[in-house]
Amino acid sequence: MERRALTTLLGPRLHTLVGRLRRQAGETATGATRRVNPDAVVDCAVYVNGRRETGRLHYADAYARARRSRNAFVWLGLHDPGAAVLAAVGQVFGLDELTVAQALTDGHRPTVQRHGPVTLLVLRTAAYVAEGELTATSEVVDTGDVMVLLGDRFVVTVRHGASGALAPVRREIQGRPSLLAEGPWAVAYAVTARMVDLYLEVAAHLEQDLERVEESVFAPDRNADIQQIYQLKRELVEFKRAVLPLQEPLRALVSGPDGGPPAGLRRWYVDVEGRLTRAVDRITSYDELLNSILQSRLTQLAVDQNNDMRKIAAWAAIAATQTAVAGVYGMNFARMPELSWRYGYPAALALMATAAFTLHRMFRRSGWL
């Protein structure tokens, strides 16, 4: 009886004590209370000397671990985060209010900005959307943006839109620990290189579309629709706005003062700048070619309209001769030629037919019919 009473008395206390010990054991094993990353977090990892640490921590715990280790930083990847998530991330990584506000919205122009110890690199993403056939509403270029926030011990990538996934970038650069050991700027290089490679891929697909449009414009049947050319022109302009403004920020990173990428990474950024120049040259040539195709199609339409007008004028002239003869004989005057002639009516019909035949042959020889 006394043992049962003792068990009843100590049972809740023992349960509380065991729970406390378990939590303490969990904290001892992980170093902090286990927290769960929000859904907007695609991946979060700590890198020490260019190699990824095992486990997936909450970004606050990962940043704390990176600050305790030498040659370490944390890479946090976000996709379409909300205001609450970005506010919490900004509080952990020491981002100011303007930086958080910029990372929350999309549609920014490619640029490089420095907000105190944090560098903001804005890149535009691009992807080609395959279409079975170009139409007046085909959207073959899908764009978005990626913002790279660089600090001393962290890099935060914020991606908006469906294109430009960074999972392949993370896998690729994790296989190059010597490059990743350069720190957060190595991640910025990898992301920039990936975006430029996407630009070249989209440019290659657009070149094929331009070839098809050019063939249809100069084909004998000329079945190219002017609205299709305008739509492709619009898609090319959108792609151009995503690529061309990146030249100046990259040039500033390569040749700018201290505060940019370390010396060991400068040559890699120079290589990316060279590939970007190739993409810009292709886009510029495509734009000029599309303008020429558009002008040629407009000229063809003007020529076709002129030909149609000449055909209409020729047939109107032929009909006018018939109308003139019939009109004269339809006036019902008392004294008219051939009214009392036996063959007057057949002669008038023969005159009308001869005039029509003669004018038709003349217009055919001149190319009007």
Side-chain angles (χ1 to χ4, degrees), residues 43-123:
D43 199 355
C44 180
V46 177
Y47 297 89
V48 181
N49 294 322
R51 300 188 180 278
R52 176 169 181 160
E53 295 290 294
T54 58
R56 182 176 178 179
L57 303 176
H58 187 271
Y59 58 84
D61 301 331
Y63 185 46
R65 177 183 293 187
R67 296 178 66 180
R68 291 195 301 265
S69 304
R70 294 184 58 185
N71 300 326
F73 69 94
V74 59
W75 179 2
L76 172 63
L78 303 174
H79 182 214
D80 288 333
V85 174
L86 274 179
V89 170
Q91 185 176 4
V92 170
F93 292 97
L95 306 178
D96 59 23
E97 184 178 355
L98 177 59
T99 305
V100 173
Q102 289 179 328
L104 184 60
T105 58
D106 58 352
H108 294 284
R109 180 184 175 90
T111 184
V112 172
Q113 300 177 4
R114 288 182 172 84
H115 301 166
V118 178
T119 301
L120 172 63
L121 173 62
V122 180
L123 306 168

Coordinates of all heavy atoms in Angstrom, one line a residue, residues 43-123:
D43 N 17.3 24.8 -49.1 CA 18.4 24.0 -48.5 C 19.2 25.0 -47.6 O 19.2 26.2 -47.9 CB 19.3 23.4 -49.6 CG 20.2 22.3 -49.1 OD1 20.2 22.1 -47.8 OD2 20.9 21.7 -49.9
C44 N 19.8 24.4 -46.6 CA 20.7 25.2 -45.7 C 21.8 24.3 -45.2 O 21.5 23.2 -44.8 CB 19.8 25.7 -44.5 SG 20.8 26.7 -43.3
A45 N 23.0 24.8 -45.4 CA 24.2 24.0 -45.0 C 25.3 24.8 -44.6 O 25.4 26.0 -45.0 CB 24.6 23.1 -46.2
V46 N 26.2 24.2 -43.8 CA 27.4 24.9 -43.3 C 28.6 24.3 -44.1 O 28.7 23.0 -44.2 CB 27.6 24.7 -41.8 CG1 28.9 25.3 -41.4 CG2 26.4 25.3 -41.0
Y47 N 29.5 25.1 -44.6 CA 30.6 24.6 -45.3 C 31.9 25.1 -44.6 O 32.1 26.3 -44.3 CB 30.6 25.2 -46.7 CG 29.4 24.8 -47.6 CD1 28.2 25.5 -47.5 CD2 29.5 23.6 -48.3 CE1 27.1 25.1 -48.3 CE2 28.4 23.2 -49.1 CZ 27.2 23.9 -49.0 OH 26.2 23.5 -49.8
V48 N 32.7 24.1 -44.3 CA 34.0 24.4 -43.6 C 35.1 23.9 -44.6 O 35.2 22.7 -45.0 CB 34.1 23.6 -42.3 CG1 35.4 23.9 -41.6 CG2 32.9 24.0 -41.4
N49 N 36.0 24.8 -44.9 CA 37.1 24.6 -45.8 C 36.6 24.0 -47.1 O 37.3 23.1 -47.7 CB 38.1 23.6 -45.2 CG 38.8 24.3 -44.0 OD1 39.2 25.5 -44.0 ND2 39.1 23.5 -42.9
G50 N 35.5 24.4 -47.6 CA 35.0 24.0 -48.9 C 34.2 22.7 -48.9 O 33.7 22.3 -49.9
R51 N 34.0 22.2 -47.7 CA 33.2 20.9 -47.6 C 32.0 21.1 -46.8 O 32.0 21.7 -45.7 CB 34.1 19.8 -47.1 CG 35.4 19.5 -48.0 CD 36.1 18.3 -47.5 NE 37.3 18.1 -48.4 CZ 37.3 17.5 -49.6 NH1 36.1 17.0 -50.0 NH2 38.4 17.3 -50.3
R52 N 30.9 20.4 -47.2 CA 29.7 20.5 -46.5 C 29.6 19.7 -45.2 O 30.0 18.5 -45.2 CB 28.5 20.1 -47.4 CG 27.2 20.1 -46.8 CD 26.1 20.0 -47.8 NE 24.7 20.0 -47.2 CZ 23.6 20.3 -47.8 NH1 23.6 20.5 -49.1 NH2 22.4 20.3 -47.1
E53 N 29.2 20.3 -44.1 CA 29.0 19.6 -42.9 C 27.7 18.7 -43.0 O 26.8 19.1 -43.7 CB 28.9 20.6 -41.7 CG 30.1 21.4 -41.5 CD 31.2 20.5 -40.9 OE1 31.1 20.0 -39.8 OE2 32.2 20.3 -41.6
T54 N 27.7 17.6 -42.3 CA 26.6 16.7 -42.3 C 25.4 17.3 -41.6 O 25.6 18.1 -40.6 CB 27.0 15.4 -41.8 OG1 27.4 15.5 -40.4 CG2 28.0 14.7 -42.6
G55 N 24.2 16.9 -42.0 CA 23.0 17.4 -41.3 C 22.5 18.6 -41.9 O 23.2 19.4 -42.6
R56 N 21.2 18.8 -41.6 CA 20.5 20.0 -42.1 C 19.9 20.8 -40.9 O 19.0 20.3 -40.3 CB 19.4 19.7 -43.1 CG 18.7 20.9 -43.7 CD 17.7 20.5 -44.7 NE 17.0 21.6 -45.3 CZ 16.1 21.6 -46.2 NH1 15.7 20.4 -46.7 NH2 15.5 22.7 -46.6
L57 N 20.6 21.9 -40.6 CA 20.2 22.6 -39.4 C 19.3 23.8 -39.7 O 19.1 24.1 -40.9 CB 21.5 23.2 -38.7 CG 22.6 22.2 -38.3 CD1 23.8 23.0 -37.8 CD2 22.1 21.3 -37.3
H58 N 18.6 24.3 -38.7 CA 17.9 25.5 -38.9 C 18.9 26.6 -39.2 O 20.0 26.6 -38.8 CB 17.1 25.9 -37.6 CG 16.2 27.0 -37.7 ND1 16.7 28.3 -37.5 CD2 14.9 27.1 -38.1 CE1 15.6 29.2 -37.6 NE2 14.6 28.5 -38.0
Y59 N 18.5 27.6 -40.1 CA 19.5 28.6 -40.5 C 20.1 29.4 -39.4 O 21.2 29.8 -39.5 CB 18.8 29.5 -41.6 CG 17.6 30.3 -41.1 CD1 17.7 31.5 -40.4 CD2 16.3 29.8 -41.4 CE1 16.6 32.2 -40.0 CE2 15.2 30.5 -40.9 CZ 15.4 31.7 -40.3 OH 14.2 32.4 -39.8
A60 N 19.4 29.6 -38.3 CA 20.0 30.3 -37.2 C 21.1 29.5 -36.5 O 22.1 30.0 -36.2 CB 18.9 30.7 -36.2
D61 N 20.8 28.2 -36.3 CA 21.8 27.3 -35.8 C 23.0 27.1 -36.7 O 24.1 27.1 -36.3 CB 21.2 25.9 -35.4 CG 20.0 26.1 -34.5 OD1 20.0 27.0 -33.7 OD2 19.1 25.2 -34.6
A62 N 22.7 27.1 -38.0 CA 23.8 26.9 -39.0 C 24.7 28.1 -39.0 O 25.9 28.0 -39.0 CB 23.2 26.7 -40.4
Y63 N 24.1 29.3 -38.9 CA 24.9 30.5 -38.9 C 25.7 30.6 -37.6 O 26.9 31.1 -37.6 CB 24.0 31.7 -39.0 CG 24.7 33.1 -39.1 CD1 25.8 33.2 -40.0 CD2 24.3 34.2 -38.4 CE1 26.5 34.4 -40.1 CE2 24.9 35.4 -38.5 CZ 26.0 35.5 -39.3 OH 26.7 36.7 -39.4
A64 N 25.1 30.2 -36.5 CA 25.9 30.2 -35.2 C 27.1 29.2 -35.3 O 28.2 29.6 -34.8 CB 24.9 29.8 -34.1
R65 N 26.9 28.1 -35.9 CA 28.0 27.1 -36.1 C 29.0 27.7 -37.0 O 30.3 27.5 -36.7 CB 27.5 25.8 -36.6 CG 28.6 24.8 -36.8 CD 28.1 23.5 -37.4 NE 27.2 22.8 -36.5 CZ 26.8 21.5 -36.7 NH1 27.0 20.9 -37.9 NH2 26.0 20.9 -35.8
A66 N 28.7 28.4 -38.1 CA 29.6 28.9 -39.0 C 30.5 30.0 -38.3 O 31.7 30.1 -38.6 CB 28.9 29.5 -40.2
R67 N 29.9 30.8 -37.4 CA 30.6 31.8 -36.8 C 31.6 31.3 -35.7 O 32.6 31.9 -35.4 CB 29.6 32.8 -36.1 CG 28.7 33.5 -37.1 CD 27.8 34.4 -36.5 NE 28.4 35.5 -35.8 CZ 27.8 36.5 -35.1 NH1 26.5 36.5 -35.0 NH2 28.4 37.5 -34.5
R68 N 31.3 30.1 -35.2 CA 32.2 29.5 -34.3 C 33.4 28.8 -34.9 O 34.4 28.5 -34.2 CB 31.4 28.5 -33.4 CG 30.4 29.1 -32.4 CD 30.0 28.1 -31.4 NE 29.4 26.9 -32.0 CZ 28.1 26.7 -32.2 NH1 27.2 27.7 -31.8 NH2 27.6 25.6 -32.7
S69 N 33.3 28.5 -36.2 CA 34.4 27.7 -36.9 C 35.2 28.6 -37.8 O 34.7 29.6 -38.3 CB 33.7 26.6 -37.7 OG 32.9 25.7 -36.9
R70 N 36.4 28.2 -38.0 CA 37.3 28.9 -38.9 C 37.1 28.5 -40.3 O 36.8 27.3 -40.6 CB 38.7 28.7 -38.5 CG 39.1 29.3 -37.1 CD 40.6 29.1 -36.9 NE 41.4 29.7 -38.0 CZ 42.7 29.7 -38.0 NH1 43.4 29.0 -37.1 NH2 43.4 30.3 -39.0
N71 N 37.2 29.4 -41.3 CA 37.0 29.1 -42.7 C 35.7 28.4 -43.0 O 35.6 27.5 -43.7 CB 38.2 28.2 -43.2 CG 39.5 28.9 -43.0 OD1 39.7 30.1 -43.2 ND2 40.5 28.1 -42.7
A72 N 34.6 29.0 -42.3 CA 33.3 28.4 -42.5 C 32.3 29.5 -42.9 O 32.5 30.6 -42.5 CB 32.9 27.7 -41.2
F73 N 31.3 29.1 -43.6 CA 30.2 29.9 -43.9 C 28.9 29.1 -44.1 O 29.0 27.9 -44.3 CB 30.5 30.8 -45.1 CG 30.5 30.0 -46.4 CD1 29.4 29.9 -47.2 CD2 31.7 29.4 -46.8 CE1 29.4 29.2 -48.4 CE2 31.7 28.7 -48.0 CZ 30.6 28.6 -48.8
V74 N 27.8 29.7 -44.1 CA 26.5 29.1 -44.3 C 25.9 29.6 -45.6 O 25.9 30.7 -45.9 CB 25.6 29.3 -43.1 CG1 25.3 30.8 -42.9 CG2 24.2 28.5 -43.3
W75 N 25.3 28.6 -46.3 CA 24.6 29.0 -47.5 C 23.1 28.6 -47.3 O 22.7 27.4 -47.2 CB 25.2 28.2 -48.7 CG 24.5 28.5 -50.0 CD1 23.4 29.3 -50.2 CD2 24.8 27.9 -51.3 NE1 23.1 29.3 -51.6 CE2 23.8 28.4 -52.2 CE3 25.7 26.9 -51.7 CZ2 23.8 28.0 -53.6 CZ3 25.7 26.6 -53.0 CH2 24.8 27.1 -54.0
L76 N 22.3 29.7 -47.3 CA 20.8 29.5 -47.2 C 20.2 29.8 -48.5 O 20.3 30.9 -49.1 CB 20.3 30.4 -46.1 CG 18.8 30.5 -45.9 CD1 18.2 29.2 -45.5 CD2 18.4 31.6 -44.9
G77 N 19.4 28.8 -49.0 CA 18.7 29.0 -50.2 C 17.2 29.1 -50.0 O 16.5 28.3 -49.4
L78 N 16.6 30.2 -50.5 CA 15.2 30.5 -50.3 C 14.5 30.6 -51.7 O 15.1 31.1 -52.7 CB 14.9 31.8 -49.6 CG 15.6 32.0 -48.2 CD1 15.4 33.4 -47.6 CD2 15.0 31.0 -47.2
H79 N 13.2 30.2 -51.7 CA 12.4 30.3 -53.0 C 11.1 30.9 -52.7 O 10.3 30.3 -51.9 CB 12.3 28.9 -53.6 CG 11.5 28.9 -54.9 ND1 10.6 27.9 -55.3 CD2 11.4 29.9 -55.9 CE1 10.1 28.2 -56.4 NE2 10.6 29.4 -56.8
D80 N 10.8 32.1 -53.2 CA 9.6 32.8 -53.0 C 9.2 32.9 -51.6 O 8.1 32.5 -51.1 CB 8.4 32.1 -53.8 CG 8.6 32.4 -55.3 OD1 9.2 33.4 -55.7 OD2 8.1 31.5 -56.1
P81 N 10.1 33.4 -50.7 CA 9.8 33.5 -49.3 C 8.7 34.6 -49.0 O 8.6 35.6 -49.8 CB 11.1 33.9 -48.6 CG 11.8 34.6 -49.7 CD 11.4 34.0 -51.0
G82 N 8.0 34.5 -47.9 CA 7.1 35.5 -47.5 C 7.8 36.6 -46.7 O 9.0 36.5 -46.3
A83 N 7.0 37.6 -46.3 CA 7.5 38.7 -45.5 C 8.0 38.2 -44.1 O 9.0 38.7 -43.6 CB 6.5 39.8 -45.4
A84 N 7.2 37.3 -43.5 CA 7.6 36.9 -42.2 C 8.9 36.1 -42.2 O 9.8 36.3 -41.3 CB 6.5 36.0 -41.6
V85 N 9.1 35.3 -43.2 CA 10.3 34.5 -43.3 C 11.5 35.4 -43.5 O 12.6 35.2 -42.9 CB 10.2 33.4 -44.4 CG1 11.5 32.7 -44.6 CG2 9.1 32.4 -44.1
L86 N 11.4 36.3 -44.5 CA 12.5 37.2 -44.7 C 12.8 38.1 -43.6 O 14.0 38.5 -43.3 CB 12.2 38.1 -46.0 CG 12.6 37.4 -47.3 CD1 12.2 38.3 -48.5 CD2 14.0 37.1 -47.4
A87 N 11.8 38.5 -42.8 CA 12.1 39.3 -41.6 C 12.9 38.6 -40.6 O 13.8 39.1 -40.0 CB 10.8 39.8 -41.0
A88 N 12.5 37.3 -40.4 CA 13.3 36.4 -39.5 C 14.7 36.2 -40.0 O 15.7 36.2 -39.2 CB 12.5 35.1 -39.3
V89 N 14.8 35.9 -41.3 CA 16.2 35.7 -41.8 C 17.0 37.0 -41.7 O 18.2 36.9 -41.3 CB 16.1 35.3 -43.3 CG1 17.4 35.3 -44.0 CG2 15.4 33.9 -43.4
G90 N 16.4 38.2 -42.0 CA 17.1 39.4 -41.8 C 17.6 39.7 -40.4 O 18.7 40.2 -40.2
Q91 N 16.8 39.3 -39.4 CA 17.2 39.5 -38.0 C 18.3 38.6 -37.7 O 19.2 39.0 -36.9 CB 16.0 39.2 -37.1 CG 16.2 39.5 -35.7 CD 15.0 39.3 -34.8 OE1 13.9 38.8 -35.3 NE2 15.1 39.6 -33.5
V92 N 18.4 37.4 -38.2 CA 19.4 36.4 -37.9 C 20.7 36.9 -38.5 O 21.8 36.9 -37.9 CB 19.1 35.0 -38.3 CG1 20.3 34.1 -38.2 CG2 17.9 34.5 -37.5
F93 N 20.7 37.3 -39.8 CA 21.9 37.6 -40.5 C 22.3 39.0 -40.5 O 23.3 39.5 -41.1 CB 21.8 37.1 -42.0 CG 21.7 35.6 -42.1 CD1 20.5 35.0 -42.2 CD2 22.9 34.9 -42.1 CE1 20.5 33.6 -42.4 CE2 22.8 33.5 -42.3 CZ 21.6 32.8 -42.4
G94 N 21.5 39.9 -39.8 CA 21.9 41.3 -39.7 C 21.6 42.1 -40.9 O 22.4 43.0 -41.2
L95 N 20.5 41.8 -41.6 CA 20.2 42.5 -42.8 C 19.4 43.7 -42.5 O 18.5 43.7 -41.6 CB 19.4 41.6 -43.8 CG 20.1 40.3 -44.2 CD1 19.2 39.5 -45.1 CD2 21.5 40.5 -44.8
D96 N 19.6 44.8 -43.1 CA 18.9 46.0 -42.8 C 17.5 46.0 -43.5 O 17.2 45.1 -44.3 CB 19.6 47.3 -43.3 CG 19.9 47.3 -44.8 OD1 19.2 46.6 -45.5 OD2 20.9 48.0 -45.2
E97 N 16.6 46.9 -43.2 CA 15.3 46.9 -43.6 C 15.2 47.0 -45.2 O 14.3 46.4 -45.8 CB 14.5 48.0 -43.0 CG 13.0 48.1 -43.3 CD 12.3 49.2 -42.5 OE1 12.9 49.8 -41.7 OE2 11.1 49.4 -42.8
L98 N 16.0 47.9 -45.8 CA 16.0 48.0 -47.2 C 16.3 46.8 -47.9 O 15.7 46.4 -48.9 CB 16.9 49.2 -47.6 CG 17.0 49.5 -49.1 CD1 15.7 49.8 -49.7 CD2 18.1 50.6 -49.4
T99 N 17.4 46.1 -47.5 CA 17.8 44.8 -48.1 C 16.7 43.8 -48.0 O 16.4 43.1 -49.0 CB 19.0 44.3 -47.4 OG1 20.1 45.3 -47.4 CG2 19.5 43.0 -48.1
V100 N 16.0 43.7 -46.9 CA 14.9 42.7 -46.8 C 13.8 43.1 -47.7 O 13.1 42.3 -48.3 CB 14.4 42.7 -45.3 CG1 13.2 41.8 -45.2 CG2 15.5 42.1 -44.4
A101 N 13.5 44.4 -47.8 CA 12.4 44.9 -48.7 C 12.7 44.6 -50.1 O 11.8 44.2 -50.9 CB 12.1 46.3 -48.5
Q102 N 14.0 44.7 -50.5 CA 14.4 44.4 -51.9 C 14.3 42.9 -52.2 O 13.9 42.5 -53.3 CB 15.8 45.0 -52.2 CG 15.9 46.5 -52.3 CD 17.3 46.9 -52.5 OE1 18.2 46.3 -52.1 NE2 17.4 48.0 -53.2
A103 N 14.7 42.1 -51.2 CA 14.6 40.7 -51.4 C 13.2 40.1 -51.5 O 13.0 39.0 -52.0 CB 15.5 40.0 -50.3
L104 N 12.3 40.9 -50.9 CA 10.9 40.4 -50.9 C 10.2 40.5 -52.2 O 9.3 39.7 -52.5 CB 10.1 41.2 -49.8 CG 8.7 40.8 -49.5 CD1 8.7 39.3 -49.0 CD2 8.1 41.7 -48.5
T105 N 10.6 41.5 -53.0 CA 9.9 41.7 -54.3 C 10.8 41.2 -55.4 O 12.0 41.1 -55.3 CB 9.6 43.2 -54.5 OG1 10.8 44.0 -54.4 CG2 8.7 43.7 -53.4
D106 N 10.1 41.0 -56.6 CA 10.9 40.5 -57.8 C 10.8 41.6 -58.9 O 10.3 42.7 -58.7 CB 10.3 39.2 -58.3 CG 8.8 39.4 -58.6 OD1 8.2 40.4 -58.3 OD2 8.2 38.4 -59.2
G107 N 11.4 41.3 -60.0 CA 11.4 42.2 -61.1 C 12.5 43.3 -61.1 O 12.4 44.2 -61.8
H108 N 13.5 43.1 -60.3 CA 14.6 44.1 -60.2 C 15.5 44.0 -61.4 O 15.7 42.9 -62.0 CB 15.4 43.9 -58.9 CG 14.6 44.1 -57.6 ND1 14.3 45.4 -57.2 CD2 14.1 43.3 -56.7 CE1 13.6 45.3 -56.1 NE2 13.4 44.1 -55.8
R109 N 16.2 45.1 -61.7 CA 17.2 45.1 -62.7 C 18.5 44.5 -62.2 O 18.8 44.7 -61.0 CB 17.4 46.6 -63.1 CG 18.4 46.8 -64.2 CD 18.6 48.3 -64.5 NE 19.6 48.5 -65.5 CZ 19.4 48.6 -66.8 NH1 18.2 48.5 -67.3 NH2 20.4 48.9 -67.6
P110 N 19.3 43.8 -63.0 CA 20.6 43.3 -62.5 C 21.5 44.4 -62.0 O 21.7 45.4 -62.7 CB 21.1 42.6 -63.8 CG 19.9 42.2 -64.6 CD 18.9 43.3 -64.3
T111 N 22.0 44.2 -60.8 CA 22.8 45.2 -60.2 C 23.6 44.7 -59.1 O 23.4 43.5 -58.7 CB 21.9 46.4 -59.7 OG1 22.7 47.4 -59.1 CG2 21.0 45.8 -58.5
V112 N 24.6 45.5 -58.6 CA 25.4 45.1 -57.4 C 25.3 46.3 -56.5 O 25.6 47.5 -56.9 CB 26.9 44.9 -57.8 CG1 27.7 44.7 -56.6 CG2 27.0 43.6 -58.6
Q113 N 24.9 46.1 -55.3 CA 24.7 47.1 -54.3 C 25.4 46.7 -53.0 O 25.4 45.5 -52.7 CB 23.3 47.5 -54.0 CG 22.5 47.9 -55.2 CD 21.0 48.2 -54.9 OE1 20.6 48.1 -53.8 NE2 20.3 48.5 -55.9
R114 N 26.0 47.6 -52.3 CA 26.6 47.3 -51.0 C 25.9 48.0 -49.9 O 25.8 49.3 -49.9 CB 28.1 47.7 -51.0 CG 28.9 46.8 -51.9 CD 30.4 47.2 -51.9 NE 31.2 46.2 -52.6 CZ 31.4 46.1 -53.9 NH1 30.8 47.1 -54.6 NH2 32.1 45.2 -54.4
H115 N 25.3 47.3 -49.0 CA 24.6 47.8 -47.8 C 25.4 47.5 -46.6 O 25.2 46.5 -45.9 CB 23.2 47.2 -47.7 CG 22.3 47.4 -48.9 ND1 21.2 46.8 -49.2 CD2 22.5 48.3 -50.0 CE1 20.6 47.2 -50.3 NE2 21.4 48.1 -50.8
G116 N 26.3 48.4 -46.3 CA 27.2 48.1 -45.1 C 28.1 46.9 -45.4 O 28.8 46.8 -46.4
P117 N 28.1 45.9 -44.5 CA 28.9 44.7 -44.7 C 28.3 43.7 -45.6 O 28.9 42.7 -45.9 CB 29.0 44.2 -43.3 CG 27.8 44.6 -42.6 CD 27.4 45.9 -43.2
V118 N 27.1 44.0 -46.1 CA 26.4 43.0 -47.0 C 26.4 43.5 -48.4 O 26.1 44.7 -48.7 CB 24.9 42.8 -46.5 CG1 24.2 41.8 -47.4 CG2 24.9 42.3 -45.1
T119 N 26.7 42.6 -49.3 CA 26.7 42.9 -50.8 C 25.5 42.2 -51.4 O 25.2 41.0 -51.2 CB 27.9 42.5 -51.5 OG1 29.1 43.1 -50.9 CG2 27.9 42.8 -52.9
L120 N 24.7 43.0 -52.2 CA 23.5 42.5 -52.8 C 23.8 42.4 -54.3 O 24.1 43.4 -55.0 CB 22.3 43.4 -52.6 CG 21.0 43.0 -53.4 CD1 20.5 41.7 -53.0 CD2 20.0 44.1 -53.2
L121 N 23.7 41.2 -54.9 CA 23.9 40.9 -56.3 C 22.6 40.4 -56.8 O 22.0 39.4 -56.4 CB 25.0 39.9 -56.5 CG 25.2 39.4 -57.9 CD1 25.6 40.5 -58.9 CD2 26.2 38.3 -58.0
V122 N 22.0 41.1 -57.8 CA 20.7 40.8 -58.4 C 21.0 40.3 -59.8 O 21.7 40.9 -60.6 CB 19.8 42.0 -58.5 CG1 18.5 41.6 -59.1 CG2 19.6 42.6 -57.1
L123 N 20.5 39.1 -60.1 CA 20.6 38.4 -61.4 C 19.2 38.1 -61.9 O 18.3 37.8 -61.1 CB 21.4 37.1 -61.3 CG 22.8 37.3 -60.7 CD1 23.4 35.9 -60.4 CD2 23.7 38.1 -61.6

